[in-house]
Amino acid sequence: MTDMLNEIDLTYYTRKGKLRSLFRTFGWIAEYAKANNGPTPTVSEIAYGRKLSRVTVYRHLDDLELRGLIEMRNGKIIIPDSTWIPPQIAF
């Protein structure tokens, strides 16, 4: 069943030229987190920043999670194997 789902998703993305958009969304999420010292964007922020509908963003997030590139925990986007270094605060 899983192989069939992956094949259908891959077919959808390559046939309609959407695979590039999927990985651009992933790159946008990673760059946002880097620019904001760790926190990942909300669905609304991704939709606005990438000029996509919220439905498309949810589809991308589901597919990125199936591919193991992100994890969703309590509604938050987590990028596995990434490390966050807190900013240095001078007192």
Side-chain angles (χ1 to χ4, degrees):
M1 180 77 169
T2 304
D3 292 333
M4 188 173 82
L5 286 175
N6 288 336
E7 183 178 322
I8 290 170
D9 276 350
L10 186 59
T11 301
Y12 169 80
Y13 281 110
T14 56
R15 181 171 39 116
K16 296 200 176 187
K18 306 278 184 183
L19 191 60
R20 185 178 311 164
S21 179
L22 174 72
F23 288 109
R24 282 184 178 163
T25 298
F26 176 70
W28 194 90
I29 293 168
E31 286 299 317
Y32 180 99
K34 182 179 177 181
N36 291 286
N37 294 317
T40 53
T42 64
V43 171
S44 295
E45 290 169 329
I46 297 168
Y48 181 80
R50 290 274 297 119
K51 296 177 178 55
L52 300 170
S53 71
R54 289 171 51 95
V55 172
T56 300
V57 172
Y58 278 114
R59 184 177 181 119
H60 283 191
L61 293 176
D62 286 344
D63 198 41
L64 289 169
E65 188 171 25
L66 282 173
R67 294 170 188 266
L69 295 172
I70 65 167
E71 294 174 7
M72 298 296 290
R73 294 186 201 152
N74 300 324
K76 302 284 185 191
I77 302 168
I78 307 295
I79 302 175
D81 300 325
S82 63
T83 56
W84 178 69
I85 302 169
Q88 300 296 320
I89 300 174
F91 290 100

